[in-house]
């Protein structure tokens, strides 16, 4: 590598490193992915806490150890068994001890990974009853208490938008992605291809049960900051839940290849204070969703 090429590579790596710093910081502030982001989106639920802890505190160590081990083995092979230093290769074709080790050790590693992952999966699939505890950020502790759901919402996937129904309140509406002209005119502060006309509004610190289905083809309801993703299947009600502890707006998308406009089915969930939600719901129940949204945004700003 010439001196110029080396300096070019070094400058590129430095630029990439410094470019990632604000991206990571921005990712921690936004409820959506940002350019240059590494890692997960910010967690605001116990389920996402457990996913992040499982990834950062266990999987990354195991993956790093495996990568370093393979790297060392490659270096040893390159140094000790090249043609110059080892002109007469060994004729050994197998070693029983090594074969046992490279069979048993991966199995043990899979057990170490599987045991806590089953706990995370069980938490995702178990609707809170007010008594069960969840893993949360203390993935091996299991001491996160979550109240039972006090709000049930049905999410229906259509080609290609979402419909929401507040099951006990009698409020329902559809949520359609804004095109670029509409976004710039009405919601310029929201991200392109994620902004919608009607956001799903829920109260903070409340357990929300979400029934997920579809009206035509397969879809999937996924919100990364909540750590939820469940298939939307015609003629079937799947369910998931979340308990958001921070106000804000969090985005997701359909995660199933459902058709030509699959990429244009954003999910926007606005988490607000309880009194703001009550006022929004009361206004929406009176039949004017647009007025309810306008009043909600005025109270937030």
């Amino acid at each position: 590598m010439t001196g110029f090429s080396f300096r070019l590579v070094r400058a590129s790596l430095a630029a990439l490193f410094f470019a990632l710093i604000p991206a990571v910081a921005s990712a921690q502030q936004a409820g959506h992915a940002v350019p240059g982001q590494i890692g997960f989106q910010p967690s605001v639920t116990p389920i996402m806490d457990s996913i992040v802890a499982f990834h950062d505190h266990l999987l990354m160590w195991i993956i790093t150890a495996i990568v370093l081990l393979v790297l060392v083995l490659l270096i040893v092979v390159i140094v000790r068994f090249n043609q110059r230093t080892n002109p007469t290769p060994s004729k050994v074709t197998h070693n029983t001890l090594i074969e046992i080790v490279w069979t048993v050790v991966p199995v043990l590693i899979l057990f170490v990974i599987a045991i806590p992952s089953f706990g995370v999966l069980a938490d995702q699939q178990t609707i809170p009853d007010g008594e069960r505890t969840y893993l949360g950020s203390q993935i091996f502790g299991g001491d996160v208490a979550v109240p039972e759901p006090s709000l049930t919402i049905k999410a229906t996937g259509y080609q290609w938008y979402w419909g929401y129904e507040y099951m006990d309140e009698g409020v329902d509406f559809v949520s359609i992605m804004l095109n670029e002209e509409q976004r710039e005119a009405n919601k310029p502060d929201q991200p392109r291809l994620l902004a919608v006309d009607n956001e799903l509004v829920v109260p903070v610190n409340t357990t929300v049960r979400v029934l997920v289905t579809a009206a035509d083809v397969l879809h999937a309801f996924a919100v990364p900051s909540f750590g939820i993703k469940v298939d939307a299947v015609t003629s079937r009600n799947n369910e998931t839940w979340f308990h958001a502890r921070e106000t804000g707006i969090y985005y997701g998308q359909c995660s199933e290849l459902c058709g030509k406009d699959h990429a244009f089915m954003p999910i926007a969930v606005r988490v607000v204070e309880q009194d703001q939600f009550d006022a929004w719901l009361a206004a929406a129940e009176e039949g004017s969703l647009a007025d309810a949204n306008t009043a909600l945004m005025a109270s937030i700003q």
Side-chain angles (χ1 to χ4, degrees):
M1 181 178 292
T2 65
F4 174 76
S5 300
F6 177 76
R7 289 194 297 273
L8 180 61
V9 171
R10 187 176 61 181
S12 301
L13 291 175
L16 176 62
F17 175 77
F18 289 109
L20 287 177
I21 293 178
V24 174
S26 179
Q28 294 302 315
Q29 299 169 0
H32 58 86
V34 297
Q37 176 184 342
I38 56 174
F40 292 113
Q41 294 184 31
S43 170
V44 293
T45 67
I47 292 298
M48 191 59 192
D49 289 347
S50 63
I51 294 174
V52 173
F54 179 56
H55 176 270
D56 293 349
H57 299 164
L58 180 63
L59 289 184
M60 285 303 296
W61 288 106
I62 293 177
I63 293 171
T64 302
I66 292 174
V67 169
L68 292 177
L69 175 62
V70 173
L71 177 63
V72 170
L73 292 177
L74 287 174
I75 293 175
V76 170
V77 169
I78 293 172
V79 173
R80 293 190 56 185
F81 301 102
N82 61 69
Q83 186 175 15
R84 184 187 309 171
T85 58
N86 189 43
T88 306
S90 170
K91 296 183 179 179
V92 175
T93 56
H94 71 278
N95 183 293
T96 303
L97 177 61
I98 292 178
E99 290 176 353
I100 293 175
V101 169
W102 75 38
T103 302
V104 173
V105 171
V107 172
L108 295 177
I109 293 174
L110 289 178
F111 270 111
V112 172
I113 294 175
I115 292 173
S117 71
F118 289 157
V120 176
L121 289 173
D123 281 357
Q124 290 177 313
Q125 299 297 322
T126 305
I127 304 297
D129 57 5
E131 298 180 357
R132 189 180 191 275
T133 57
Y134 292 81
L135 298 175
S137 59
Q138 301 298 325
I139 190 167
F140 298 107
D143 57 354
V144 178
V146 180
E148 60 182 348
S150 57
L151 179 64
T152 300
I153 297 172
K154 181 179 179 181
T156 304
Y158 298 93
Q159 291 175 313
W160 284 269
Y161 57 93
W162 290 96
Y164 299 118
E165 179 180 357
Y166 292 70
M167 300 297 291
D168 299 322
E169 289 77 14
V171 174
D172 63 274
F173 56 85
V174 297
S175 179
I176 301 174
M177 189 191 78
L178 299 178
N179 61 37
E180 190 57 11
E181 292 76 17
Q182 294 170 330
R183 186 190 69 86
E184 290 181 348
N186 301 302
K187 299 180 178 180
D189 59 327
Q190 295 194 19
R192 190 175 72 91
L193 301 180
L194 291 177
V196 299
D197 56 352
N198 297 315
E199 297 148 2
L200 180 63
V201 181
V202 299
V204 69
N205 293 323
T206 299
T207 303
V208 180
R209 182 187 184 202
V210 185
L211 304 177
V212 182
T213 187
D216 34 54
V217 298
L218 287 175
H219 302 282
F221 188 86
V223 181
S225 292
F226 296 167
I228 60 174
K229 178 180 178 180
V230 61
D231 284 343
V233 184
T234 306
S235 303
R236 179 184 299 178
N237 271 331
N238 291 331
E239 63 181 8
T240 185
W241 66 278
F242 62 87
H243 184 95
R245 60 173 175 268
E246 295 180 14
T247 59
I249 184 166
Y250 304 95
Y251 298 93
Q253 287 181 300
C254 173
S255 296
E256 196 78 55
L257 294 176
C258 56
K260 70 180 183 64
D261 285 342
H262 152 73
F264 307 106
M265 290 182 63
I267 300 164
V269 183
R270 184 174 291 281
V271 182
V272 299
E273 299 291 348
Q274 184 65 53
D275 58 337
Q276 294 172 326
F277 173 77
D278 293 339
W280 174 85
L281 186 62
E285 285 176 329
E286 294 176 357
S288 178
L289 182 63
D291 291 343
N293 289 336
T294 302
L296 176 64
M297 293 308 301
S299 68
I300 293 174
Q301 297 170 355

